[in-house]
Amino acid sequence: MAQTELKRELANRHVQLIAIGGTIGTGLFLGSGKAIQQAGPSIMLTYLIVGVAVFFVMRALGELLLSKAGYQSFTDIAEDYLGPRAAFITGWTYWFCWIMTAMADVIAVGVYVQYWFDIPQWVPAVICLIILLGLNLLTVKSFGELEFWFALIKVVTILALIGLGIVLLVTQFKTDAGSVSVRNLWEHGGVFPNGVKGFLFSFQMVVFAYVGVELVGVSAAETANPEKNIPSAINKIPLRILFFYVGALFVLLCINPWNQLSASESPFVRTFSLVGIPVAAGIINFVVLTSAASACNSGMFSTSRILYNLSRRNQASPQLGKLNRNHVPANSLFLSTLVISAGALLSKLIPGQAFGIVTTISAICFIWVWGVVLVCHIKYKRNRPDLHAASKFKAPFTPVINYAVLTLFAAILIIMLFADETRPALLFTPLWFILLFVLYSIRSRKEKKGQEISIINT
């Protein structure tokens, strides 16, 4: 018998670790190398600024999700406050966001495997997709367990890195690059070695590093106790940002002068190699490999649920709304995996540029989605003061903070226009929104025509 509803099998520990996994991924483990090359030690400030902005987005999303029991994702929210056209565009854009992100992750898998084996990037990417597809076809509890252990590995790794860094700082350990010291933060050209320009150009990769933090919202429909678990996960985001991002980067930059790190390799692997622990470097490479696989796993989960939700709202094929006997939207999962596999093709065609292209497109689309959440929250507070007054999880400093974060996001998009690496993707991305606008208009005309024919027949 066909299943018609998603199953609430994600426990509190799953939600908490999904939240952590959403804030620790390929953007930190691999992308931070490029960001450090652009900004130098000031990269810590970039991560802090974007992290604070993302936290306020999540607080707005949390209040909105808990304001109505029927909400399953922010496409439902967008329809209530911005209309069906905005819901259609936002839903499909969020799917596209995660498609791009998952492509970046499978590309990263290929990069990491090359640490051990001299094989084409696309081979391990395809193998990774096949394994994750099989796991995702099982119950949502299986996804939760997989993400729990993946995220736990990330947490233990960063804890180990920070612990090692503290020991090396206290003992003033000497590496091939010099002594481990906080002086490395300013002795190699200052905190802003590439000036304000380098600092500003680092924002794109940092935005990408935070994509996935809103996965807590996507998992709301499959969370056993959303009223308790979602606020708990969101409120811990600031501590995670300070510890896992700013703290980890502080340690990395104290051990490695920023100009000794490469944009094409993980600074985490480089750090353990530098301190003379080659075996540990291999272990860390395995960890960042599992991190990329984890992020891709999250991408497959979220894209399948987005398509399922779009189908249930009659904004995608009815076939994508069908669940298998494990309460998993299998057709949506197959379609998303097929599209994500294009990342493996990019790894084959343009291995050097593929990661940069897909991360830029992903960051731009996520800015749109996060912006929609903030605008919806502004309208929610203005139009439904009764719900806001009754909320047990009010977003702070609204609506002023909403406008401030929207201004920051607009500034980041403008910055991307001036960077040679991000400009092509920024100019390409509007085509996606034009396509969605046209598709929605065609769909609306067909529906209107069908209704007129039905009335005439009646």
Side-chain angles (χ1 to χ4, degrees):
M1 186 175 179
Q3 307 296 337
T4 59
E5 296 294 334
L6 296 173
K7 207 167 184 179
R8 291 185 178 271
E9 289 189 325
L10 293 180
N12 182 52
R13 67 186 181 92
H14 295 139
V15 175
Q16 295 294 336
L17 269 293
I18 286 172
I20 294 176
T23 51
I24 307 172
T26 306
L28 176 62
F29 284 128
L30 181 60
S32 59
K34 178 183 176 183
I36 289 169
Q37 282 297 302
Q38 292 173 316
S42 67
I43 191 63
M44 292 185 291
L45 180 59
T46 314
Y47 272 95
L48 188 60
I49 291 171
V50 179
V52 169
V54 167
F55 169 67
F56 285 114
V57 172
M58 288 303 299
R59 283 301 303 259
L61 177 59
E63 182 177 356
L64 287 167
L65 281 171
L66 297 177
S67 69
K68 184 177 178 180
Y71 286 151
Q72 294 193 354
S73 73
F74 35 73
T75 51
D76 300 326
I77 298 168
E79 178 155 5
D80 271 3
Y81 294 100
L82 300 177
R85 186 191 302 273
F88 178 85
I89 293 173
T90 301
W92 278 104
T93 297
Y94 189 61
W95 175 80
F96 188 59
C97 285
W98 268 105
I99 288 293
M100 291 291 107
T101 303
M103 283 185 186
D105 295 324
V106 296
I107 291 168
V109 166
V111 173
Y112 294 142
V113 170
Q114 286 183 325
Y115 179 84
W116 296 296
F117 307 106
D118 185 20
I119 58 175
Q121 285 184 25
W122 65 271
V123 175
V126 170
I127 294 172
C128 175
L129 279 175
I130 292 171
I131 294 172
L132 292 179
L133 174 62
L135 292 171
N136 270 274
L137 285 170
L138 302 176
T139 63
V140 68
K141 190 174 182 179
S142 300
F143 163 79
E145 285 296 328
L146 189 63
E147 277 304 290
F148 176 84
W149 291 107
F150 271 152
L152 200 58
I153 290 171
K154 300 178 193 180
V155 171
V156 171
T157 300
I158 295 181
L159 286 173
L161 172 72
I162 292 175
L164 174 66
I166 292 171
V167 171
L168 297 180
L169 275 169
V170 171
T171 60
Q172 294 187 322
F173 186 84
K174 293 187 182 297
T175 70
D176 293 339
S179 296
V180 176
S181 171
V182 292
R183 291 191 300 271
N184 283 329
L185 298 178
W186 61 79
E187 284 192 342
H188 302 275
V191 177
F192 293 84
N194 294 323
V196 175
K197 181 179 178 181
F199 169 69
L200 294 176
F201 282 0
S202 69
F203 272 85
Q204 174 267 322
M205 187 55 70
V206 174
V207 169
F208 174 74
Y210 281 109
V211 303
V213 67
E214 76 300 314
L215 193 58
V216 174
V218 177
S219 64
E222 295 168 270
T223 301
N225 189 356
E227 291 80 9
K228 176 184 176 182
N229 296 338
I230 290 176
S232 175
I234 291 173
N235 282 336
K236 291 173 183 174
I237 288 173
L239 183 62
R240 289 166 183 153
I241 289 168
L242 284 172
F243 193 79
F244 292 114
Y245 278 109
V246 181
L249 289 169
F250 173 81
V251 170
L252 282 174
L253 293 170
C254 286
I255 298 173
N256 304 271
W258 73 272
N259 52 7
Q260 299 288 322
L261 296 172
S262 169
S264 61
E265 67 175 344
S266 171
F268 288 80
V269 177
R270 163 71 178 169
T271 297
F272 282 89
S273 299
L274 193 64
V275 297
I277 317 177
V279 174
I283 294 173
I284 297 303
N285 192 70
F286 172 75
V287 169
V288 296
L289 172 62
T290 62
S291 172
S294 164
C296 184
N297 186 45
S298 295
M300 293 171 72
F301 170 85
S302 59
T303 51
S304 63
R305 269 55 181 183
I306 295 161
L307 288 181
Y308 167 82
N309 190 261
L310 288 169
S311 175
R312 295 296 298 271
R313 301 170 62 82
N314 297 318
Q315 293 179 345
S317 168
Q319 295 299 317
L320 299 176
K322 292 185 177 180
L323 304 179
N324 64 13
R325 61 183 180 181
N326 294 324
H327 296 263
V328 172
N331 292 340
S332 294
L333 189 58
F334 279 121
L335 177 60
S336 293
T337 304
L338 181 63
V339 181
I340 291 169
S341 66
L345 178 62
L346 286 175
S347 288
K348 180 177 176 61
L349 299 176
I350 46 172
Q353 295 81 39
F355 186 76
I357 291 171
V358 296
T359 55
T360 301
I361 295 174
S362 175
I364 294 166
C365 291
F366 268 101
I367 285 175
W368 165 274
V369 173
W370 294 341
V372 166
V373 170
L374 292 170
V375 172
C376 285
H377 189 265
I378 291 170
K379 297 199 72 172
Y380 151 84
K381 189 175 181 181
R382 181 191 304 153
N383 299 342
R384 296 302 307 270
D386 55 322
L387 292 179
H388 178 67
S391 174
K392 296 179 181 179
F393 192 55
K394 293 183 177 69
F397 311 122
T398 58
V400 175
I401 196 67
N402 299 54
Y403 289 115
V405 175
L406 286 169
T407 302
L408 173 66
F409 288 159
I412 292 172
L413 292 175
I414 293 170
I415 290 166
M416 288 185 190
L417 188 62
F418 289 94
D420 292 338
E421 292 186 5
T422 55
R423 188 186 305 112
L426 180 65
L427 296 176
F428 164 79
T429 307
L431 296 177
W432 167 256
F433 292 99
I434 293 170
L435 174 64
L436 290 179
F437 187 89
V438 171
L439 288 175
Y440 182 83
S441 298
I442 294 171
R443 176 178 169 274
S444 297
R445 282 198 296 269
K446 286 183 177 179
E447 286 185 353
K448 186 177 180 180
K449 188 174 181 180
Q451 292 172 354
E452 289 174 350
I453 293 173
S454 177
I455 292 172
I456 291 170
N457 290 337
T458 301

